[in-house]
Amino acid sequence: KGEQEGAAPSQDSEEMVAASALYNDAYKSRMMNTLSLTVDATQMDRMVKAAPFLGFTLSEEGDSGLVVESVYQAGPAAQVGVEPGDYVLSVGKKNPTCVKTLGEFRAAKELRCVCGKFTTMSIKKNGVTKDVQLWVMTSDKAHGEDPYYLSLIHI
């Protein structure tokens, strides 16, 4: 998979607390539970292999790029204020991957998004560009016991 931005054995707790500021208490609790996990090589492999869920759908809008089509209200994107009509510009903090097509976004998500970790996404909202910190989750039922699992049945 190449070098994954979020794949460090544990994300610094101060960084996680700062990044979680926009999230509700239920999310914050799950994030802190992730910090308490003993992440050995097997657990990290499970986190890396879990299909990442960010909580929105995209569509290509010609030369304008990728526009958020819908947002899952219980998902991570909704927690940080991502809304339909926002444009996704890039994924990742260090050497961000610019995305203009769905294929580029999927590749960036695969490379930069690890479940239970944060990833930075640059969006344009009402003409203003800003970075948001998305806590990467999964809807893969094989991870139903993990704090970063989100059941889409309840959304």
Side-chain angles (χ1 to χ4, degrees):
K1 279 194 169 193
E3 186 179 333
Q4 292 186 324
E5 187 163 289
S10 68
Q11 204 159 22
D12 181 67
S13 60
E14 288 180 25
E15 180 182 341
M16 184 173 276
V17 169
S20 70
L22 295 175
Y23 288 82
N24 68 30
D25 289 341
Y27 266 83
K28 287 179 187 174
S29 175
R30 294 173 95 181
M31 291 170 191
M32 295 308 122
N33 286 340
T34 301
L35 276 178
S36 67
L37 287 176
T38 303
V39 182
D40 60 15
T42 302
Q43 180 66 20
M44 180 52 70
D45 190 51
R46 279 178 40 82
M47 291 167 78
V48 168
K49 288 182 178 175
F53 176 80
L54 301 175
F56 58 88
T57 61
L58 292 171
S59 64
E60 289 184 35
E61 199 169 270
D63 291 338
S64 298
L66 297 174
V67 65
V68 175
E69 200 169 67
S70 64
V71 177
Y72 294 97
Q73 291 308 307
Q79 294 291 312
V80 296
V82 175
E83 299 174 314
D86 293 348
Y87 287 88
V88 175
L89 306 174
S90 66
V91 179
K93 186 174 185 176
K94 296 176 185 173
N95 303 314
T97 303
C98 292
V99 292
K100 294 186 179 179
T101 68
L102 290 172
E104 289 173 347
F105 179 80
R106 284 184 197 108
K109 188 168 96 169
E110 179 76 15
L111 179 67
R112 306 270 186 160
C113 298
V114 174
C115 292
K117 306 290 181 190
F118 281 95
T119 196
T120 301
M121 190 173 72
S122 183
I123 64 169
K124 185 184 283 187
K125 177 189 285 294
N126 300 320
V128 177
T129 300
K130 71 176 195 171
D131 288 343
V132 294
Q133 298 291 314
L134 287 172
W135 191 52
V136 182
M137 302 183 81
T138 188
S139 59
D140 181 347
K141 291 179 184 171
H143 296 271
E145 299 299 317
D146 294 319
Y148 50 84
Y149 170 74
L150 181 66
S151 172
L152 298 183
I153 295 171
H154 298 101
I155 294 180

